[in-house]
Amino acid sequence: QLQLQESGPGLVKPSETLSLTCTVSGGSISSSSYYWGWIRQPPGKGLEWIGSIYYSGSTYYNPSLKSRVTISVDTSKNQFSLKLSSVTAADTAVYYCARVKRIVDYWGQGTLVTVSS
Amino acid sequence: SYVLTQPPSVSVAPGKTARITCGGNNIGSKSVHWYQQKPGQAPVLVIYYDSDRPSGIPERFSGSNSGNTATLTISRVEAGDEADYYCQVWDSSSDHPVFGGGTKLIVL
């Protein structure tokens, strides 16, 4: 059974960079045909796709966040990571990592990241 | 960018049928997927490719898609079905998922 687990700081200061890692177990991140993505959900609001990466390294970012987002993959560790720069309070959200192939079929449990000084 | 429109909330009495809609331009030409999210939990896929059910999802959950509206139907609604429901399609032009704004199902 595939499992995804987010890790990273739960509190980030404004203007700094949010960094999260997703560890995949029960399957290889190098499986073809799948994207590995990040989705966030501000408190009380809906789901917002942040971006995705293919195992080969090809990336796809939400245009509204593209200038601040970097997603990378480490196949040797079966992990992929998110960096979101210049954060503000509007970036406070639960961040989910997920496996994506037209359907988001596996989700991490989510991690709350609060942006506050 | 493709836009999906859902009603903010739908209310239904236990035992009745709930219908949650997802509107989009010619959405019938796309495949629609539905997720259930309970408080404090990650979303769970309940319907994929318009009307297929993942294993473990009750037959009470069904889906349809035609024209400009996709519909998630929950028959014989139970208190445990109270949750937020999101529709999703794939934006092929830029290879990413697009989510609707979500609908809160309220079981009276």
Side-chain angles (χ1 to χ4, degrees):
Chain A
Q1 175 78 348
L2 193 73
Q3 292 186 319
L4 294 85
Q5 178 68 57
E6 306 89 352
S7 59
L11 181 64
V12 181
K13 290 182 168 55
S15 79
E16 295 190 344
T17 296
L18 178 159
S19 296
L20 295 173
T21 295
C22 182
T23 300
V24 180
S25 58
S28 173
I29 202 169
S30 298
S31 298
S32 62
S33 302
Y34 290 108
Y35 298 87
W36 303 91
W38 291 94
I39 296 164
R40 72 179 182 178
Q41 185 172 37
K45 296 188 178 181
L47 302 167
E48 179 183 32
W49 172 75
I50 299 170
S52 305
I53 189 165
Y54 202 49
Y55 77 99
S56 62
S58 300
T59 52
Y60 306 84
Y61 298 140
N62 186 323
S64 68
L65 299 169
K66 186 174 183 178
S67 63
R68 300 194 291 130
V69 174
T70 302
I71 296 176
S72 59
V73 64
D74 186 337
T75 55
S76 67
K77 294 182 179 179
N78 227 32
Q79 294 176 334
F80 61 104
S81 298
L82 168 71
K83 291 187 184 300
L84 180 66
S85 64
S86 304
V87 297
T88 69
D91 295 310
T92 293
V94 174
Y95 285 76
Y96 295 99
C97 61
R99 189 179 82 166
V100 183
K101 182 182 179 182
R102 295 187 174 270
I103 303 165
V104 185
D105 58 354
Y106 286 94
W107 301 70
Q109 66 184 24
T111 186
L112 174 63
V113 179
T114 302
V115 178
S116 175
S117 55
Chain B
S1 181
Y2 193 76
V3 176
L4 295 173
T5 302
Q6 298 183 239
S9 65
V10 168
S11 298
V12 62
K16 300 299 185 182
T17 297
R19 293 179 179 84
I20 298 172
T21 59
C22 177
N25 185 32
N26 197 25
I27 196 173
S29 66
K30 298 179 178 293
S31 295
V32 179
H33 319 294
W34 291 91
Y35 303 85
Q36 176 194 69
Q37 186 181 35
K38 295 184 178 179
Q41 298 182 18
V44 172
L45 184 68
V46 293
I47 291 289
Y48 64 104
Y49 288 110
D50 295 340
S51 59
D52 290 338
R53 267 188 325 274
S55 60
I57 300 301
E59 291 183 6
R60 300 185 297 105
F61 288 80
S62 62
S64 62
N65 183 20
S66 179
N68 293 316
T69 304
T71 303
L72 171 69
T73 300
I74 309 172
S75 304
R76 302 181 300 283
V77 166
E78 303 173 355
D81 298 330
E82 189 163 277
D84 294 325
Y85 291 84
Y86 294 89
C87 58
Q88 178 248 314
V89 299
W90 186 257
D91 185 329
S92 299
S93 64
S94 51
D95 279 343
H96 70 87
V98 176
F99 294 98
T103 297
K104 182 174 185 59
L105 178 66
I106 300 168
V107 181
L108 301 170

